[in-house]
Amino acid sequence: VQLVESGGGLVQAGGSLRLSCAYSGFEFDDHGIGWFRQAPGKEREGVLCLSRRDGSTAYADSVKGRFTISSDNAKSTVHLQMNSLRFEDTAVYYCAACRVEGRQWYGGYWGQGTQVTVST
C-alpha cells in the first residue's frame, strides 16, 4: 500500500491550494480515503473523508465550506481543494485510508505528508 501526497507549499491567508494523493495497493471500495492534518504541538486530526461506498464526505467543522475532496478513480488519485485558507490551517497534511464513526475519525496507510504553511 502506498499513498503519496503532493502540492503543499506556502500560501497567504485567504488564498487557495490544491493537494493531490496518488494511491496504490489498496481497494478504495473497501475503505474511505481522505485527509488528516497535524499542526505543530497538536494531535493529528481528520479533515475530510470520502466514502466510496455511498459517496458521502465527512468534514471537520473547521473546514466546512472551504475545503472539498474529489477523486479521479481512473488515475487512483484524490485531491484536496483548500480555499479561504487561514493561518490555523498550517499543518502537515496526510492522505490516508479513513473511516468516520460519529465524531471519531480513524486513519490508516498513511502517506508521508506534505507541509502547508499559511502566512498572515
Side-chain angles (χ1 to χ4, degrees), residues 62-84:
S62 59
V63 305
K64 284 181 180 177
R66 301 188 299 122
F67 290 12
T68 57
I69 187 172
S70 61
S71 67
D72 184 339
N73 297 328
K75 296 182 179 180
S76 297
T77 302
V78 293
H79 304 284
L80 174 63
Q81 179 66 42
M82 303 185 292
N83 299 326
S84 302

PDB file of all heavy atoms in Angstrom, residues 62-84:
ATOM      1  N   SER A  62     -14.159  22.713  11.137  1.00  0.00           N
ATOM      2  CA  SER A  62     -13.299  23.863  10.856  1.00  0.00           C
ATOM      3  C   SER A  62     -13.059  24.098   9.368  1.00  0.00           C
ATOM      4  O   SER A  62     -12.596  25.177   8.987  1.00  0.00           O
ATOM      5  CB  SER A  62     -11.953  23.684  11.560  1.00  0.00           C
ATOM      6  OG  SER A  62     -11.323  22.493  11.120  1.00  0.00           O
ATOM      7  N   VAL A  63     -13.364  23.119   8.526  1.00  0.00           N
ATOM      8  CA  VAL A  63     -13.082  23.287   7.095  1.00  0.00           C
ATOM      9  C   VAL A  63     -14.339  23.284   6.234  1.00  0.00           C
ATOM     10  O   VAL A  63     -14.251  23.450   5.016  1.00  0.00           O
ATOM     11  CB  VAL A  63     -12.109  22.191   6.589  1.00  0.00           C
ATOM     12  CG1 VAL A  63     -10.838  22.171   7.427  1.00  0.00           C
ATOM     13  CG2 VAL A  63     -12.768  20.822   6.564  1.00  0.00           C
ATOM     14  N   LYS A  64     -15.489  23.098   6.847  1.00  0.00           N
ATOM     15  CA  LYS A  64     -16.734  23.086   6.078  1.00  0.00           C
ATOM     16  C   LYS A  64     -16.903  24.388   5.315  1.00  0.00           C
ATOM     17  O   LYS A  64     -16.706  25.471   5.862  1.00  0.00           O
ATOM     18  CB  LYS A  64     -17.925  22.861   7.004  1.00  0.00           C
ATOM     19  CG  LYS A  64     -18.086  21.435   7.462  1.00  0.00           C
ATOM     20  CD  LYS A  64     -19.317  21.281   8.358  1.00  0.00           C
ATOM     21  CE  LYS A  64     -19.470  19.848   8.824  1.00  0.00           C
ATOM     22  NZ  LYS A  64     -20.620  19.686   9.753  1.00  0.00           N
ATOM     23  N   GLY A  65     -17.278  24.262   4.053  1.00  0.00           N
ATOM     24  CA  GLY A  65     -17.475  25.440   3.221  1.00  0.00           C
ATOM     25  C   GLY A  65     -16.198  25.979   2.608  1.00  0.00           C
ATOM     26  O   GLY A  65     -16.245  26.881   1.763  1.00  0.00           O
ATOM     27  N   ARG A  66     -15.047  25.450   3.002  1.00  0.00           N
ATOM     28  CA  ARG A  66     -13.766  25.928   2.474  1.00  0.00           C
ATOM     29  C   ARG A  66     -12.983  24.831   1.761  1.00  0.00           C
ATOM     30  O   ARG A  66     -12.305  25.110   0.766  1.00  0.00           O
ATOM     31  CB  ARG A  66     -12.920  26.502   3.615  1.00  0.00           C
ATOM     32  CG  ARG A  66     -13.563  27.642   4.358  1.00  0.00           C
ATOM     33  CD  ARG A  66     -12.587  28.286   5.340  1.00  0.00           C
ATOM     34  NE  ARG A  66     -12.115  27.354   6.363  1.00  0.00           N
ATOM     35  CZ  ARG A  66     -10.832  27.056   6.570  1.00  0.00           C
ATOM     36  NH1 ARG A  66      -9.884  27.612   5.815  1.00  0.00           N
ATOM     37  NH2 ARG A  66     -10.484  26.217   7.532  1.00  0.00           N
ATOM     38  N   PHE A  67     -13.039  23.628   2.252  1.00  0.00           N
ATOM     39  CA  PHE A  67     -12.272  22.522   1.687  1.00  0.00           C
ATOM     40  C   PHE A  67     -13.216  21.539   1.001  1.00  0.00           C
ATOM     41  O   PHE A  67     -14.324  21.289   1.483  1.00  0.00           O
ATOM     42  CB  PHE A  67     -11.518  21.758   2.778  1.00  0.00           C
ATOM     43  CG  PHE A  67     -10.371  22.487   3.416  1.00  0.00           C
ATOM     44  CD1 PHE A  67     -10.164  23.852   3.220  1.00  0.00           C
ATOM     45  CD2 PHE A  67      -9.486  21.800   4.225  1.00  0.00           C
ATOM     46  CE1 PHE A  67      -9.110  24.521   3.811  1.00  0.00           C
ATOM     47  CE2 PHE A  67      -8.417  22.437   4.826  1.00  0.00           C
ATOM     48  CZ  PHE A  67      -8.237  23.792   4.625  1.00  0.00           C
ATOM     49  N   THR A  68     -12.776  20.975  -0.100  1.00  0.00           N
ATOM     50  CA  THR A  68     -13.523  19.923  -0.764  1.00  0.00           C
ATOM     51  C   THR A  68     -12.567  18.817  -1.199  1.00  0.00           C
ATOM     52  O   THR A  68     -11.373  19.051  -1.408  1.00  0.00           O
ATOM     53  CB  THR A  68     -14.282  20.435  -1.995  1.00  0.00           C
ATOM     54  OG1 THR A  68     -13.353  21.053  -2.899  1.00  0.00           O
ATOM     55  CG2 THR A  68     -15.358  21.438  -1.611  1.00  0.00           C
ATOM     56  N   ILE A  69     -13.110  17.623  -1.347  1.00  0.00           N
ATOM     57  CA  ILE A  69     -12.316  16.480  -1.792  1.00  0.00           C
ATOM     58  C   ILE A  69     -12.937  15.936  -3.065  1.00  0.00           C
ATOM     59  O   ILE A  69     -14.158  15.947  -3.226  1.00  0.00           O
ATOM     60  CB  ILE A  69     -12.244  15.394  -0.693  1.00  0.00           C
ATOM     61  CG1 ILE A  69     -11.279  14.280  -1.099  1.00  0.00           C
ATOM     62  CG2 ILE A  69     -13.629  14.850  -0.361  1.00  0.00           C
ATOM     63  CD1 ILE A  69     -11.005  13.272   0.024  1.00  0.00           C
ATOM     64  N   SER A  70     -12.094  15.506  -3.973  1.00  0.00           N
ATOM     65  CA  SER A  70     -12.576  14.895  -5.205  1.00  0.00           C
ATOM     66  C   SER A  70     -11.680  13.713  -5.525  1.00  0.00           C
ATOM     67  O   SER A  70     -10.532  13.643  -5.065  1.00  0.00           O
ATOM     68  CB  SER A  70     -12.570  15.905  -6.353  1.00  0.00           C
ATOM     69  OG  SER A  70     -11.271  16.380  -6.599  1.00  0.00           O
ATOM     70  N   SER A  71     -12.215  12.796  -6.322  1.00  0.00           N
ATOM     71  CA  SER A  71     -11.430  11.619  -6.671  1.00  0.00           C
ATOM     72  C   SER A  71     -11.418  11.416  -8.173  1.00  0.00           C
ATOM     73  O   SER A  71     -12.401  11.703  -8.858  1.00  0.00           O
ATOM     74  CB  SER A  71     -11.983  10.379  -5.971  1.00  0.00           C
ATOM     75  OG  SER A  71     -13.275  10.062  -6.467  1.00  0.00           O
ATOM     76  N   ASP A  72     -10.306  10.954  -8.663  1.00  0.00           N
ATOM     77  CA  ASP A  72     -10.153  10.544 -10.058  1.00  0.00           C
ATOM     78  C   ASP A  72      -9.836   9.062 -10.020  1.00  0.00           C
ATOM     79  O   ASP A  72      -8.683   8.658  -9.866  1.00  0.00           O
ATOM     80  CB  ASP A  72      -9.035  11.344 -10.731  1.00  0.00           C
ATOM     81  CG  ASP A  72      -8.895  11.018 -12.202  1.00  0.00           C
ATOM     82  OD1 ASP A  72      -9.346   9.940 -12.643  1.00  0.00           O
ATOM     83  OD2 ASP A  72      -8.317  11.848 -12.931  1.00  0.00           O
ATOM     84  N   ASN A  73     -10.871   8.254 -10.134  1.00  0.00           N
ATOM     85  CA  ASN A  73     -10.694   6.820  -9.947  1.00  0.00           C
ATOM     86  C   ASN A  73      -9.803   6.199 -11.030  1.00  0.00           C
ATOM     87  O   ASN A  73      -9.047   5.267 -10.752  1.00  0.00           O
ATOM     88  CB  ASN A  73     -12.055   6.125  -9.929  1.00  0.00           C
ATOM     89  CG  ASN A  73     -12.902   6.593  -8.773  1.00  0.00           C
ATOM     90  OD1 ASN A  73     -12.380   6.925  -7.717  1.00  0.00           O
ATOM     91  ND2 ASN A  73     -14.210   6.642  -8.973  1.00  0.00           N
ATOM     92  N   ALA A  74      -9.880   6.726 -12.228  1.00  0.00           N
ATOM     93  CA  ALA A  74      -9.070   6.180 -13.320  1.00  0.00           C
ATOM     94  C   ALA A  74      -7.576   6.364 -13.032  1.00  0.00           C
ATOM     95  O   ALA A  74      -6.752   5.558 -13.457  1.00  0.00           O
ATOM     96  CB  ALA A  74      -9.440   6.845 -14.629  1.00  0.00           C
ATOM     97  N   LYS A  75      -7.237   7.428 -12.314  1.00  0.00           N
ATOM     98  CA  LYS A  75      -5.838   7.703 -12.004  1.00  0.00           C
ATOM     99  C   LYS A  75      -5.480   7.351 -10.565  1.00  0.00           C
ATOM    100  O   LYS A  75      -4.362   7.618 -10.120  1.00  0.00           O
ATOM    101  CB  LYS A  75      -5.535   9.180 -12.259  1.00  0.00           C
ATOM    102  CG  LYS A  75      -5.671   9.596 -13.713  1.00  0.00           C
ATOM    103  CD  LYS A  75      -5.316  11.067 -13.898  1.00  0.00           C
ATOM    104  CE  LYS A  75      -5.430  11.466 -15.366  1.00  0.00           C
ATOM    105  NZ  LYS A  75      -5.094  12.899 -15.576  1.00  0.00           N
ATOM    106  N   SER A  76      -6.432   6.758  -9.834  1.00  0.00           N
ATOM    107  CA  SER A  76      -6.191   6.411  -8.427  1.00  0.00           C
ATOM    108  C   SER A  76      -5.618   7.604  -7.671  1.00  0.00           C
ATOM    109  O   SER A  76      -4.568   7.516  -7.002  1.00  0.00           O
ATOM    110  CB  SER A  76      -5.239   5.216  -8.318  1.00  0.00           C
ATOM    111  OG  SER A  76      -5.820   4.072  -8.901  1.00  0.00           O
ATOM    112  N   THR A  77      -6.312   8.707  -7.805  1.00  0.00           N
ATOM    113  CA  THR A  77      -5.846   9.946  -7.193  1.00  0.00           C
ATOM    114  C   THR A  77      -7.018  10.648  -6.527  1.00  0.00           C
ATOM    115  O   THR A  77      -8.140  10.629  -7.041  1.00  0.00           O
ATOM    116  CB  THR A  77      -5.233  10.874  -8.264  1.00  0.00           C
ATOM    117  OG1 THR A  77      -4.171  10.196  -8.920  1.00  0.00           O
ATOM    118  CG2 THR A  77      -4.692  12.149  -7.638  1.00  0.00           C
ATOM    119  N   VAL A  78      -6.752  11.258  -5.402  1.00  0.00           N
ATOM    120  CA  VAL A  78      -7.724  12.131  -4.771  1.00  0.00           C
ATOM    121  C   VAL A  78      -7.082  13.498  -4.584  1.00  0.00           C
ATOM    122  O   VAL A  78      -5.861  13.610  -4.468  1.00  0.00           O
ATOM    123  CB  VAL A  78      -8.234  11.600  -3.419  1.00  0.00           C
ATOM    124  CG1 VAL A  78      -9.042  10.331  -3.615  1.00  0.00           C
ATOM    125  CG2 VAL A  78      -7.094  11.371  -2.451  1.00  0.00           C
ATOM    126  N   HIS A  79      -7.923  14.505  -4.587  1.00  0.00           N
ATOM    127  CA  HIS A  79      -7.448  15.873  -4.459  1.00  0.00           C
ATOM    128  C   HIS A  79      -8.144  16.552  -3.293  1.00  0.00           C
ATOM    129  O   HIS A  79      -9.313  16.284  -2.996  1.00  0.00           O
ATOM    130  CB  HIS A  79      -7.747  16.659  -5.739  1.00  0.00           C
ATOM    131  CG  HIS A  79      -7.182  16.030  -6.964  1.00  0.00           C
ATOM    132  ND1 HIS A  79      -5.833  16.089  -7.280  1.00  0.00           N
ATOM    133  CD2 HIS A  79      -7.768  15.308  -7.948  1.00  0.00           C
ATOM    134  CE1 HIS A  79      -5.629  15.450  -8.405  1.00  0.00           C
ATOM    135  NE2 HIS A  79      -6.777  14.954  -8.841  1.00  0.00           N
ATOM    136  N   LEU A  80      -7.416  17.430  -2.656  1.00  0.00           N
ATOM    137  CA  LEU A  80      -7.970  18.257  -1.595  1.00  0.00           C
ATOM    138  C   LEU A  80      -7.859  19.704  -2.044  1.00  0.00           C
ATOM    139  O   LEU A  80      -6.752  20.226  -2.168  1.00  0.00           O
ATOM    140  CB  LEU A  80      -7.208  18.044  -0.285  1.00  0.00           C
ATOM    141  CG  LEU A  80      -7.607  18.949   0.872  1.00  0.00           C
ATOM    142  CD1 LEU A  80      -9.056  18.692   1.262  1.00  0.00           C
ATOM    143  CD2 LEU A  80      -6.688  18.724   2.078  1.00  0.00           C
ATOM    144  N   GLN A  81      -8.995  20.321  -2.315  1.00  0.00           N
ATOM    145  CA  GLN A  81      -9.023  21.725  -2.700  1.00  0.00           C
ATOM    146  C   GLN A  81      -9.279  22.559  -1.457  1.00  0.00           C
ATOM    147  O   GLN A  81     -10.297  22.372  -0.791  1.00  0.00           O
ATOM    148  CB  GLN A  81     -10.116  21.985  -3.737  1.00  0.00           C
ATOM    149  CG  GLN A  81     -10.219  23.436  -4.183  1.00  0.00           C
ATOM    150  CD  GLN A  81      -8.989  23.902  -4.934  1.00  0.00           C
ATOM    151  OE1 GLN A  81      -8.445  23.185  -5.765  1.00  0.00           O
ATOM    152  NE2 GLN A  81      -8.535  25.117  -4.632  1.00  0.00           N
ATOM    153  N   MET A  82      -8.343  23.432  -1.162  1.00  0.00           N
ATOM    154  CA  MET A  82      -8.433  24.245   0.047  1.00  0.00           C
ATOM    155  C   MET A  82      -8.555  25.708  -0.359  1.00  0.00           C
ATOM    156  O   MET A  82      -7.665  26.255  -1.006  1.00  0.00           O
ATOM    157  CB  MET A  82      -7.186  24.036   0.912  1.00  0.00           C
ATOM    158  CG  MET A  82      -6.957  22.587   1.288  1.00  0.00           C
ATOM    159  SD  MET A  82      -5.566  22.358   2.419  1.00  0.00           S
ATOM    160  CE  MET A  82      -4.204  22.790   1.353  1.00  0.00           C
ATOM    161  N   ASN A  83      -9.670  26.307  -0.007  1.00  0.00           N
ATOM    162  CA  ASN A  83      -9.914  27.713  -0.311  1.00  0.00           C
ATOM    163  C   ASN A  83     -10.025  28.505   0.987  1.00  0.00           C
ATOM    164  O   ASN A  83     -10.229  27.939   2.063  1.00  0.00           O
ATOM    165  CB  ASN A  83     -11.194  27.857  -1.124  1.00  0.00           C
ATOM    166  CG  ASN A  83     -11.135  27.135  -2.456  1.00  0.00           C
ATOM    167  OD1 ASN A  83     -10.080  27.057  -3.086  1.00  0.00           O
ATOM    168  ND2 ASN A  83     -12.262  26.599  -2.888  1.00  0.00           N
ATOM    169  N   SER A  84      -9.903  29.804   0.849  1.00  0.00           N
ATOM    170  CA  SER A  84     -10.027  30.697   2.010  1.00  0.00           C
ATOM    171  C   SER A  84      -9.152  30.222   3.167  1.00  0.00           C
ATOM    172  O   SER A  84      -9.606  30.110   4.313  1.00  0.00           O
ATOM    173  CB  SER A  84     -11.492  30.798   2.450  1.00  0.00           C
ATOM    174  OG  SER A  84     -12.301  31.270   1.395  1.00  0.00           O
TER     175      SER A  84
END
